[in-house]
Amino acid sequence: MARSRQPLIAGNWKMNGLRADALTLAKGVADGVRQAAWQDRAVLVCPPATLLAAVAESVKSSGVLVGGQNCHAKASGAHTGDVSAEMLRDCGASHVIVGHSERRADYGETDAIVRAKAEAAWRAGLVPIVCIGETLAEREAGKTLAVLEAQLRGSVPSGATAATLVVAYEPVWAIGTGKTPTTPEVAAAHAHIRGVLGSLTADAQSVRLLYGGSVNGRNAAELLAAGDVDGGLVGGASLKPDEFLAIAKSA
Ligand code: PEP
């Protein structure tokens, strides 16, 4: 039976790889995607900004999409060291991750900043992947669902639709730790997110919700089959083409 939401499997390479590594990784992913010829799922890789153009060129015509890991809210100007959504688009990106917890923690990115970045993505013709997720302390205080709701309300710009928004639920304590929520916990969080999106978007049932946090080749089939999960945002395991492709296959 056809699924109403096409799964998206996104690899967040973070600050890893020099040109030669990135091109080897990109070729591995592109070859696998070409061979699989999936019609029912999309595969995205998000390399460091310095490698985006080279990776986009290398995966051209394979069906693999390319995205940025962050963007500035402005299109251009005196913002030394920053990269705009327009620049990412110019390099071949179709998506951009905004509000990743590492950026929220390392650069103090607030929901308002994340929202402005999501709007910048739209301005440039990119789809933002808006990341939300609770810390361990928030989880232990029983605040997970309230935190997710507040982050969503603060970070998702008005006017979002399924065509212009992807949301990634990434519990902060699960990122890079090898720990994951249980499948029912993931399903409950995603159901809550979709419910909140009902008051923020016109077509919440069609918005893709990704799970992220220590997804690997062994746990992907179970985590990505949880209710209301439409794919994954994968960090560490996206640096190994075989494992990343196995995750994509299991979505
Ligand atoms: C991430 O950083 O988005 C992520 C999910 O990382 P990892 O898969 O390594 O936990």
Side-chain angles (χ1 to χ4, degrees):
M1 196 178 77
R3 291 177 282 193
S4 59
R5 299 178 293 265
Q6 186 197 45
L8 172 66
I9 300 85
N12 174 12
W13 295 1
K14 310 196 187 192
M15 195 174 73
N16 290 297
L18 301 179
R19 195 181 161 85
D21 312 307
L23 291 178
T24 304
L25 175 52
K27 183 176 180 326
V29 173
D31 287 350
V33 168
R34 260 195 212 95
Q35 206 177 1
W38 288 307
Q39 302 296 320
D40 61 349
R41 67 202 68 198
V43 174
L44 169 75
V45 294
C46 300
T50 52
L51 299 170
L52 209 143
V55 168
E57 179 63 28
S58 131
V59 302
K60 207 162 64 184
S61 79
S62 69
V64 174
L65 303 166
V66 179
Q69 299 176 10
N70 172 49
C71 66
H72 195 277
K74 298 265 172 60
S76 62
H79 303 287
T80 302
D82 272 310
V83 173
S84 71
E86 282 77 0
M87 291 169 177
L88 298 175
R89 169 87 187 205
D90 191 43
C91 287
S94 56
H95 292 69
V96 60
I97 298 168
V98 294
H100 190 283
S101 65
E102 286 155 13
R103 294 209 56 91
R104 288 180 186 260
D106 294 353
Y107 297 94
E109 290 190 4
T110 61
D111 290 335
I113 291 172
V114 175
R115 179 186 169 114
K117 291 183 176 204
E119 286 171 339
W122 290 355
R123 187 189 62 224
L126 302 180
V127 175
I129 300 174
V130 175
C131 299
I132 58 172
E134 82 286 1
T135 62
L136 186 58
E138 289 164 341
R139 173 185 167 86
E140 287 175 348
K143 294 183 180 158
T144 297
L145 299 185
V147 167
L148 298 181
E149 175 159 1
Q151 288 182 333
L152 271 179
R153 294 197 183 281
S155 306
V156 173
S158 58
T161 67
T164 61
L165 176 72
V166 174
V167 173
Y169 168 52
E170 299 207 299
V172 177
W173 54 271
I175 294 179
T177 59
K179 296 181 185 146
T180 60
T182 63
T183 309
E185 285 170 340
V186 172
H190 279 237
H192 185 69
I193 291 166
R194 198 172 299 286
V196 175
L197 283 176
S199 65
L200 296 174
T201 66
D203 52 358
Q205 286 305 319
S206 301
V207 175
R208 285 185 286 184
L209 307 185
L210 312 185
Y211 168 75
S214 293
V215 175
N216 59 42
R218 293 176 305 286
N219 63 21
E222 189 177 336
L223 286 168
L224 304 187
D228 278 301
V229 174
D230 310 307
L233 180 53
V234 184
S238 72
L239 298 173
K240 299 173 212 150
D242 290 348
E243 187 163 14
F244 184 59
L245 289 163
I247 294 168
K249 190 174 173 192
S250 69

